[in-house]
Amino acid sequence: MSAAGPLVPPDPPPQTGPGPEPFGHRLHARMAAGSHLCVGIDPHPGLLDAWGLPDTPKGLGAFGRGLIEAASRGGAAAVKPQSALFERHGSGGIGVLEEVLGWARQVGLLTVLDVKRGDIGSTMRGYAEAYLKDGAPLSADSITVSPYLGFGSLKPAIDLAEENGRGIFVLAFTSNPEGPQVQRAVTAEGPQVGEAMIQAVAQANAGAVPMGDLGVVIGATLKSLPPTGSRVLPQVGGPILVPGLGAQGGRPEDLTRLFGKARRLVLATASRTIARSGPDPESLAATVRENVENLSFLEN
Amino acid sequence: MSAAGPLVPPDPPPQTGPGPEPFGHRLHARMAAGSHLCVGIDPHPGLLDAWGLPDTPKGLGAFGRGLIEAASRGGAAAVKPQSALFERHGSGGIGVLEEVLGWARQVGLLTVLDVKRGDIGSTMRGYAEAYLKDGAPLSADSITVSPYLGFGSLKPAIDLAEENGRGIFVLAFTSNPEGPQVQRAVTAEGPQVGEAMIQAVAQANAGAVPMGDLGVVIGATLKSLPPTGSRVLPQVGGPILVPGLGAQGGRPEDLTRLFGKARRLVLATASRTIARSGPDPESLAATVRENVENLSFLEN
């Protein structure tokens, strides 16, 4: 370096390798191979009881392990552990959640950790480091996030996800009856809040081939999407996580009605409808396989 | 019971005891005694480093313990641990968060666990059981919640809080520049989203004396509240959690400008501005005391 120092910042060091494979690529490969199913891991007390398991960290572990084995054997693309139900058991439950994420990784299932986090600045960065960083105890392939603090507040997580080959699913429209109060409120720019999320995700994914790393969450039991949402969805360019298939009332045919051509981007979650066929491993794997087949029309 | 059945529902069973003391009562007593300060426990890597602590569960524990001792000696009403920064360390970090909550309880400080959770139905119930139930490893006096899924989706948490003498703070308006996209969007009923949250909280607290268990979160660095928000706030009937005093730019005089007569309900959080005076215990306790005194005008 000269004594006067450089006039312009030095070039970044040359890339020494291809970097981590982007989440969008990894998920797209599984979808294109015919699997659009994400198996929810929701250790509710009632389900644990039905499996003959105690509502303890150990019971949660056995439940998670059973579902992961079935998801793997039945050809699911991903699993979605529900953090809330592990958090009930404090550090003991979180320790099991770490194991669940590790088991899924071992059998090659992608993980969508359902945490619905959302905060600002360095706190959002803290959440991102908790869940989207290599080597973090709770490192997952992707997480769900909640945008009450504005889409822009998610930037630290979006940045870290991109850097590390991870994915993020932004809540847009949920199917619970209380959701429209916020999600259908009208933003200053014109679209509804949920539409604004779909637009922002589409913009962030623009140009990504075959699929970007940023997804949206849209409930399967919605009657319809607002007009802008329907228009933008085919350009969303990232995965559409759709919870609520089965037990919550959503049916595969609803997916075509709601998503039209964008249906190839759908990653559909089934939780109770699968867990209820357990704990018998054969029955669980068969139910997973059946759900995968029921969703294969999404590729056509 | 007659064969025809009762014409009106039977009376509820008589109360057999006084039940747990409501969170609103407990917090109000501290405020009325002159303390409106909540000390944030935000173990950011930079702050840990400034304290000469490693960014490990052990380091987080020493940081939390130092702040809790200072908060107690300096006369704070409550402490607010930021869950994100503990979650970075997985089950090890959550184990320390359990200890932090326990230490605060031991010295008689109320806890506001900043988790900003939000989900629906039995999953929201799962979060409530994780944080608002006696005997749960992460049991706190109150938590923050995020209403992207609608105010109504929070009901399982509100119910459990009331049952167990706990409190809930609902995000209304945050002070980050990205917040207005969602929080100032206009609901079908007319008010902005953040106003609708203030209204819903006011309605839930109606009749509570001296203060209800349900609070709102409003940023200290906001320029102004929208008209309905300003009108409803004096009737909110519950605590107003105001983060962002000090390091984030909020000043005590902003509280009067923003909240007017409702300022007596303010629980103001200071985090970095206090932590930066550490780790010396005398200096930390003095800073807490100074912040408590700076806020004493809220009672007048």
Side-chain angles (χ1 to χ4, degrees), chain A residues 156-176:
Chain A
I158 294 170
D159 289 349
L160 198 66
E162 194 185 352
E163 207 173 294
N164 291 343
R166 310 303 168 84
I168 290 194
F169 292 92
V170 182
L171 291 185
F173 290 104
T174 58
S175 51
N176 61 309

Side-chain angles (χ1 to χ4, degrees), chain A residues 87 91 98 116 119 131 172, chain B residues 87 91 98 116 119 131 148:
Chain A
E87 291 176 42
S91 56
E98 292 171 2
K116 295 190 178 64
D119 212 301
Y131 299 110
Chain B
E87 291 175 43
S91 56
E98 292 171 3
K116 296 190 177 64
D119 213 300
Y131 299 110
Y148 187 82

Side-chain angles (χ1 to χ4, degrees), chain A residues 60-277:
Chain A
L60 270 61
F63 182 82
R65 184 144 205 151
L67 282 170
I68 286 168
E69 281 170 5
S72 173
R73 286 176 56 197
V79 289
K80 181 173 80 65
Q82 174 47 256
S83 185
L85 302 170
F86 293 87
E87 291 176 42
R88 293 181 304 131
H89 293 280
S91 56
I94 298 301
V96 171
L97 182 55
E98 292 171 2
E99 290 183 323
V100 163
L101 292 168
W103 294 330
R105 216 171 7 245
Q106 277 170 26
V107 297
L109 286 163
L110 292 176
T111 50
V112 182
L113 182 53
D114 198 354
V115 287
K116 295 190 178 64
R117 299 298 194 257
D119 212 301
I120 59 174
S122 57
T123 308
M124 191 69 226
R125 175 89 192 177
Y127 280 129
E129 289 179 355
Y131 299 110
L132 301 169
K133 207 172 155 176
D134 290 333
L138 292 164
S139 187
D141 292 302
S142 65
I143 59 169
T144 56
V145 295
S146 182
Y148 188 82
L149 293 95
F151 181 82
S153 69
L154 306 173
K155 189 170 188 300
I158 294 170
D159 289 349
L160 198 66
E162 194 185 352
E163 207 173 294
N164 291 343
R166 310 303 168 84
I168 290 194
F169 292 92
V170 182
L171 291 185
F173 290 104
T174 58
S175 51
N176 61 309
E178 310 90 356
Q181 180 191 35
V182 173
Q183 298 156 22
R184 303 219 173 215
V186 177
T187 63
E189 293 71 29
Q192 297 179 3
V193 165
E195 293 176 301
M197 297 306 150
I198 297 172
Q199 287 178 354
V201 167
Q203 203 174 349
N205 282 329
V209 176
M211 188 165 83
D213 305 319
L214 208 56
V216 289
V217 181
I218 299 180
T221 54
L222 283 182
K223 287 222 172 57
S224 66
L225 284 174
T228 322
S230 298
R231 270 201 310 280
V232 177
L233 210 52
Q235 282 86 51
V236 74
I240 306 170
L241 183 67
V242 183
L245 227 54
Q248 288 174 45
R251 296 160 308 169
E253 53 266 40
D254 293 330
L255 299 177
T256 293
R257 185 180 47 73
L258 263 178
F259 301 116
K261 288 180 196 164
R263 68 185 188 194
R264 297 184 78 156
L265 300 167
V266 166
L267 179 65
T269 299
S271 300
R272 289 186 199 202
T273 191
I274 288 173
R276 278 184 185 146
S277 73

Side-chain angles (χ1 to χ4, degrees), chain B residues 165-186:
Chain B
R166 310 302 168 84
I168 290 194
F169 291 91
V170 182
L171 291 185
F173 291 104
T174 59
S175 51
N176 60 310
E178 310 91 356
Q181 180 191 34
V182 173
Q183 297 156 21
R184 302 219 174 216
V186 176

